[in-house]
Amino acid sequence: MKNQSVTNNLDWICIIIYSLLVIMGWLNIYSSSLSSMEDTYEKQLIFIVLTIPLIFIILSVDGKFYEKYATIIFGISLLSLAGLFVFGKTIAGQRCWYGIGSFTLQPSEFAKAATALALAKYLSDTQINLKDVNRQIQALAIVFLPVMLILPQPDPGSALIYSIFIIVLYREGLPSWYVWTGFITILLFVLTLILQPQYVVLIALAVLVIVHFKSRLSDRNIPLSGILFVLMSGFVLSVSYVFENVFKQHHRDRFNILLGKSVDMKGIGYNTNQSEIAIGSGGWFGKGFLEGTQTKGGFVPEQHTDYIFTTVGEEWGFVGSLVVIGLFVGLFLRLIYLAERQKTKFSRVYGYCVAGILFIHFFVNIAMVAGIFPTIGVPLPFFSYGGSGLWGFTILLFIFIKMDANKVNEW
């Protein structure tokens, strides 16, 4: 009776949205790969078929298994990331994959679910209070351990995804200044690339003065305001050095093109320019399935992976794009709703991690394709070509669906 009860309580709304996104994704991969004469759509179909037994395995495992062995799963994930430096296969300058015959496996795609489980396990401890600095350091260490292994591969796109865990930690009690610090750091960085450093310093000073005088405790905040100004000024003055000496040339080029400081429609800016042309040419209702001229002509590089949404825009138009975006937004809202109704903190935290990871992938990918974010290689969940990505997102989602179904046995 227990197993039957769990089966009956699966959230079919999430499962139906997931299925629709996977099917739509395959149709667009099929369309985008026909012109290149590659067998990517056939491989993706194999990945999708293999996903079915994977889902059954996830749902057949007792829900408590994921909580009990979360730390071990996280440890195995870290070892798989570290192993890339010795046994990894290098593709396009990145050592991110294990080669298995003609197929490759990218462990960073599975590390997201493992990190979410580890973070949920840590935060579900009754003694955890994120107002405690030691607890903050320990929680952030769980997030940054995989990041430190992913960045040197180099894979900045996958590393960026882990920033969403800060929002989850904030939801569970992390002081808000962590979030504000991250936001202000990004803002100062971008402003310094656009304006002269001295102007950014003056803007920061003006904002601090306004905030200072609007504070009810302005007299007591003078030393704090002074320290913040020194730190912000130091950061602003260091941006130029970091940008020129730490960032690689192709990263600098992408930022310069994005900010309008340079134009390179035939080089580094080609992908973004062609993606904008493809999406814009779709109009309201699109050119029709398999009728996209940019898609059939193969003008958009990597269209079946990071730029898959350009096929949606060109062949399905604004209305079709809106449907796809609506399905994603519906999934995010559903996951947040399910997370809030969980009976255990472990399940709730993991649910928020799932919603956050899927959302940041979706947001960055769409922003990248639309030309408002630099190209950094972030796939669109369930849409972009790749077995590791599809399986990683599937594992991430269906572990939570299993947890949600199991809540009938929680008390």
Side-chain angles (χ1 to χ4, degrees):
M1 290 296 294
K2 180 179 178 181
N3 290 335
Q4 184 66 28
S5 175
V6 170
T7 303
N8 289 341
N9 281 280
L10 291 175
D11 188 77
W12 288 101
I13 294 178
C14 282
I15 294 174
I16 290 171
I17 294 177
Y18 163 84
S19 302
L20 288 173
L21 289 173
V22 170
I23 292 170
M24 290 178 176
W26 184 82
L27 289 174
N28 282 277
I29 290 171
Y30 177 79
S31 178
S32 63
S33 60
L34 280 180
S35 62
S36 63
M37 301 302 290
E38 295 180 1
D39 60 350
T40 50
Y41 66 92
E42 294 177 353
K43 286 184 178 180
Q44 189 70 6
L45 187 59
I46 294 173
F47 298 147
I48 292 172
V49 171
L50 292 176
T51 300
I52 297 173
L54 177 63
I55 291 172
F56 277 103
I57 291 172
I58 294 170
L59 296 179
S60 66
V61 175
D62 184 77
K64 285 293 182 182
F65 171 87
Y66 303 108
E67 181 176 2
K68 184 178 181 180
Y69 295 102
T71 305
I72 296 175
I73 294 171
F74 183 58
I76 293 172
S77 175
L78 292 178
L79 288 175
S80 69
L81 291 173
L84 288 172
F85 296 106
V86 180
F87 306 106
K89 181 178 181 179
T90 301
I91 301 176
Q94 292 181 308
R95 201 176 183 85
C96 303
W97 297 268
Y98 287 110
I100 305 173
S102 60
F103 292 91
T104 56
L105 200 65
Q106 188 173 3
S108 62
E109 295 295 343
F110 305 97
K112 298 162 191 172
T115 305
L117 287 171
L119 194 62
K121 176 70 173 176
Y122 178 75
L123 295 178
S124 61
D125 190 322
T126 55
Q127 304 300 316
I128 295 299
N129 181 0
L130 286 178
K131 302 300 181 185
D132 186 323
V133 175
N134 290 330
R135 296 299 190 183
Q136 294 170 15
I137 294 173
Q138 291 167 6
L140 291 172
I142 293 173
V143 175
F144 285 112
L145 274 174
V147 172
M148 292 300 101
L149 293 171
I150 291 171
L151 275 176
Q153 293 177 4
D155 188 3
S158 294
L160 174 66
I161 299 304
Y162 286 78
S163 63
I164 198 65
F165 287 114
I166 302 298
I167 304 300
V168 177
L169 290 171
Y170 170 69
R171 165 64 179 79
E172 296 301 321
L174 189 72
S176 60
W177 68 265
Y178 279 94
V179 178
W180 280 109
T181 299
F183 174 77
I184 292 171
T185 299
I186 294 172
L187 182 61
L188 289 175
F189 182 84
V190 174
L191 282 176
T192 307
L193 294 181
I194 299 173
L195 306 173
Q196 293 295 322
Q198 59 267 30
Y199 296 138
V200 180
V201 170
L202 288 174
I203 291 172
L205 178 61
V207 171
L208 284 174
V209 169
I210 293 171
V211 171
H212 173 75
F213 283 109
K214 281 189 172 291
S215 173
R216 295 180 179 179
L217 301 174
S218 57
D219 292 338
R220 300 182 185 179
N221 287 339
I222 291 176
L224 177 60
S225 298
I227 293 172
L228 286 176
F229 177 69
V230 171
L231 291 175
M232 292 168 72
S233 299
F235 175 76
V236 168
L237 295 174
S238 69
V239 165
S240 179
Y241 175 82
V242 172
F243 188 70
E244 295 296 334
N245 296 279
V246 176
F247 280 49
K248 293 188 176 181
Q249 184 61 48
H250 63 278
H251 292 144
R252 293 197 295 270
D253 291 339
R254 286 168 182 168
F255 269 101
N256 287 332
I257 290 171
L258 180 67
L259 298 174
K261 299 177 70 174
S262 64
V263 178
D264 184 13
M265 295 306 181
K266 295 183 179 181
I268 199 74
Y270 179 80
N271 290 23
T272 301
N273 183 51
Q274 291 300 320
S275 71
E276 291 173 354
I277 292 173
I279 292 174
S281 68
W284 282 97
F285 300 102
K287 298 176 179 176
F289 183 56
L290 303 181
E291 297 299 325
T293 53
Q294 294 293 114
T295 298
K296 290 175 68 175
F299 289 104
V300 184
E302 305 299 329
Q303 191 169 15
H304 59 291
T305 54
D306 299 337
Y307 283 85
I308 189 65
F309 195 75
T310 60
T311 309
V312 179
E314 183 178 28
E315 297 190 348
W316 299 9
F318 176 79
V319 174
S321 300
L322 202 61
V323 169
V324 172
I325 291 173
L327 286 172
F328 273 109
V329 172
L331 180 61
F332 304 147
L333 294 176
R334 184 64 181 175
L335 289 171
I336 292 172
Y337 167 76
L338 295 179
E340 281 296 331
R341 74 175 191 175
Q342 296 305 302
K343 295 182 179 180
T344 67
K345 188 174 183 180
F346 176 82
S347 298
R348 184 184 75 233
V349 173
Y350 182 78
Y352 270 102
C353 288
V354 174
I357 291 170
L358 293 177
F359 171 76
I360 193 170
H361 266 277
F362 164 81
F363 176 79
V364 172
N365 181 272
I366 299 298
M368 181 180 70
V369 170
I372 57 177
F373 205 86
T375 302
I376 53 174
V378 173
L380 186 62
F382 315 123
F383 255 74
S384 295
Y385 168 78
S388 297
L390 177 62
W391 295 337
F393 290 127
T394 299
I395 291 170
L396 179 76
L397 176 62
F398 276 87
I399 286 178
F400 181 59
I401 290 176
K402 175 63 177 184
M403 290 179 185
D404 178 67
N406 195 57
K407 71 179 182 298
V408 297
N409 301 313
E410 303 286 358
W411 55 275

